[in-house]
Amino acid sequence: MNPHVSKNRSLPRAAVAGLVALIVAGAAGAQCAPGQTNLDVPASTPGSDFEPGADGTLLHRRTGLVWQRCALGQTWNGAGCDGTPDALGWEVALQAAVAHTQQGRSDWRLPNRNELASLIENRCATPALNISIFPDAPAQESWTSSPAVGAAGQAWAVDFATGAVSASPLNQPNAVRLVRGGEAIVD
């Protein structure tokens, strides 16, 4: 018998639990910020649903929508997002989307409420996004193109810190994530 090999071949319970958590999270395809994973909740945006482009975009295979990996104001560096996200009022965000070009494409737009909410990763918190596909995402509210009907002076925003979708005052400065193409998810 090798004197360097322990007779007790079992791993400590904490090590086994950590290993199981990593395997489950990896199999589910959603990566959350450290300590921000609820393994009792199934992954809602697994990485396998998205095809990354070299230009800092992601094709959502299910819908055909193409998303920016970085918020407006940030720049894709090949592995993550550099810079600080722009914080814009709603009307300025709509105008910025119309004026935006990336890789020669000028058909970018502000997503509607359901499209942006489809990015929420239900098993993650702070941010409530799969960070393997949206690294360096701001854990704050992001604008949608959807006005809050019945709530004058407000539009819908998605809070990527908590995953909440709520009406936000039009003059509130929020982050912006643009989308293009695909089949819009009906608002």
Side-chain angles (χ1 to χ4, degrees), residues 18-159:
L19 184 58
V20 168
L22 284 173
I23 291 169
V24 169
Q31 183 179 345
C32 304
Q36 300 297 320
T37 305
N38 182 346
L39 295 177
D40 293 330
V41 176
S44 54
T45 59
S48 60
D49 281 1
F50 295 87
E51 182 180 322
D55 60 353
T57 61
L58 286 167
L59 170 64
H60 190 213
R61 290 184 177 110
R62 222 171 6 100
T63 62
L65 293 170
V66 177
W67 292 94
Q68 288 186 325
R69 292 186 87 168
C70 302
L72 206 58
Q74 295 179 304
T75 305
W76 180 251
N77 65 21
C81 302
D82 292 329
T84 304
D86 291 343
L88 307 174
W90 186 66
E91 291 175 358
V92 174
L94 288 169
Q95 293 167 4
V98 169
H100 186 75
T101 59
Q102 181 177 341
Q103 298 294 324
R105 301 296 302 243
S106 60
D107 56 345
W108 294 97
R109 61 183 173 80
L110 213 54
N112 69 40
R113 175 179 62 175
N114 292 334
E115 289 170 335
L116 192 59
S118 76
L119 300 181
I120 295 169
E121 176 49 61
N122 294 323
R123 72 176 353 181
C124 299
T126 319
L129 282 167
N130 182 339
I131 63 170
S132 70
I133 54 176
F134 294 106
D136 308 310
Q140 66 188 64
E141 285 190 343
S142 291
W143 283 119
T144 76
S145 63
S146 306
V149 176
Q154 296 189 1
W156 290 101
V158 174
D159 186 345

Side-chain angles (χ1 to χ4, degrees), residues 11 83 111 174:
L11 294 171
N174 286 334

